[in-house]
Amino acid sequence: MDSAQKVTWSTMLYLFADRFIPPDKALTVGIEVPCKNIKVQRKPLTAEMFAVAFHSLREAGVITMELTTKKVLFVKTTRVGVTLVKQESRPGLEGAIVANAGGEDHVKGIIRAWYGQDVDDPWSMVIKEGVDEAIGAGLMGHVDAERGAVGSLLMGKTRVEPKCEQIATLQPEFDLWAGRWDLFKGNEAQLYKELVGECGNAIQSRLEQDDND
């Protein structure tokens, strides 16, 4: 995390998701971008948030990443190997990676270890990390949802609302970082592709399956 930053880069991506994530479509699940009347696709967003978290830790010298190839029954599998270089306390998804990288040596294993078990909606857990961090940084907050007695019982009395003026102050820092992210995607295209793909597969793999399937 850069010194002037309020939140991690993975959460910054959530706050400015329309910069990199494709817009929501009829058959996709969408997530609303804070302070914008725009929805982006949830699955690509969560995969990219985790990918950004890994990359930002590499930039900070906390981990290293490299492409590795493993052959099982004559089938070669490429994955992103991760080595934890030093322990550092981090919030959000970055903190989740550091906490679980010691016992795992690749991206999918680290993400699966963070979940601990299969869940009903693994994508929401990733988004929640960004929202919770933004709330802690004063960029989002709880407000009265005015749902009435029945609605409050079913959905809760409050909802989370972004603080748009505070979020807007982060735009210049995000724009500078976005240039670095574009460079990574261009200069290390294969690593980027494998990283995002492995993050997405790891999240998908934690979807709880019906016992009858």
Side-chain angles (χ1 to χ4, degrees), residues 12-27:
M12 288 278 268
L13 178 68
Y14 161 70
L15 296 174
F16 300 97
D18 54 307
R19 171 67 171 77
F20 288 106
I21 309 304
D24 186 31
K25 297 181 180 180
L27 298 180

Side-chain angles (χ1 to χ4, degrees), residues 176-188:
L176 287 173
W177 169 84
R180 301 207 308 266
W181 187 238
D182 280 331
L183 282 174
F184 167 63
K185 292 165 68 174
N187 294 339
E188 299 181 76

Side-chain angles (χ1 to χ4, degrees), residues 92-153:
L93 295 178
E94 281 83 339
I97 292 168
V98 172
N100 291 281
E104 295 289 347
D105 65 350
H106 61 285
V107 163
K108 186 173 182 178
I110 291 169
I111 294 175
R112 284 181 56 81
W114 171 63
Y115 282 103
Q117 61 184 11
D118 292 353
V119 295
D120 290 336
D121 189 350
W123 299 279
S124 287
M125 287 183 63
V126 179
I127 299 296
K128 185 177 184 299
E129 284 294 314
V131 171
D132 287 349
E133 190 185 352
I135 291 173
L139 299 169
M140 304 181 84
H142 292 279
V143 298
D144 189 346
E146 300 179 353
R147 293 185 175 119
V150 176
S152 296
L153 184 62

Side-chain angles (χ1 to χ4, degrees), residues 201-213:
N201 288 339
I203 297 168
Q204 178 76 45
S205 75
R206 276 311 193 183
L207 176 63
E208 191 170 54
Q209 300 296 318
D210 192 306
D211 290 340
N212 294 323
D213 285 350

Side-chain angles (χ1 to χ4, degrees), residues 48-186:
E48 195 102 351
M49 283 175 68
F50 251 122
V52 164
F54 278 102
H55 179 257
S56 68
L57 289 172
R58 188 181 77 158
E59 279 194 319
V62 178
I63 64 170
T64 62
M65 290 191 296
E66 63 177 348
L67 291 173
T68 62
T69 302
K70 185 177 182 180
K71 183 183 286 187
V72 178
L73 298 177
F74 306 104
V75 178
K76 285 186 177 181
T77 301
T78 300
R79 65 186 189 185
V80 182
V82 176
T83 301
L84 182 66
V85 176
K86 58 182 178 181
Q87 283 281 355
E88 280 192 4
S89 178
R90 300 268 174 150
L93 295 178
E94 281 83 339
I97 292 168
V98 172
N100 291 281
E104 295 289 347
D105 65 350
H106 61 285
V107 163
K108 186 173 182 178
I110 291 169
I111 294 175
R112 284 181 56 81
W114 171 63
Y115 282 103
Q117 61 184 11
D118 292 353
V119 295
D120 290 336
D121 189 350
W123 299 279
S124 287
M125 287 183 63
V126 179
I127 299 296
K128 185 177 184 299
E129 284 294 314
V131 171
D132 287 349
E133 190 185 352
I135 291 173
L139 299 169
M140 304 181 84
H142 292 279
V143 298
D144 189 346
E146 300 179 353
R147 293 185 175 119
V150 176
S152 296
L153 184 62
L154 295 173
M155 303 170 62
K157 295 182 178 180
T158 64
R159 69 173 186 272
V160 176
E161 210 169 77
K163 299 180 181 181
C164 298
E165 288 186 7
Q166 287 90 325
I167 292 174
T169 65
L170 300 178
Q171 183 76 58
E173 294 158 49
F174 178 81
D175 290 341
L176 287 173
W177 169 84
R180 301 207 308 266
W181 187 238
D182 280 331
L183 282 174
F184 167 63
K185 292 165 68 174

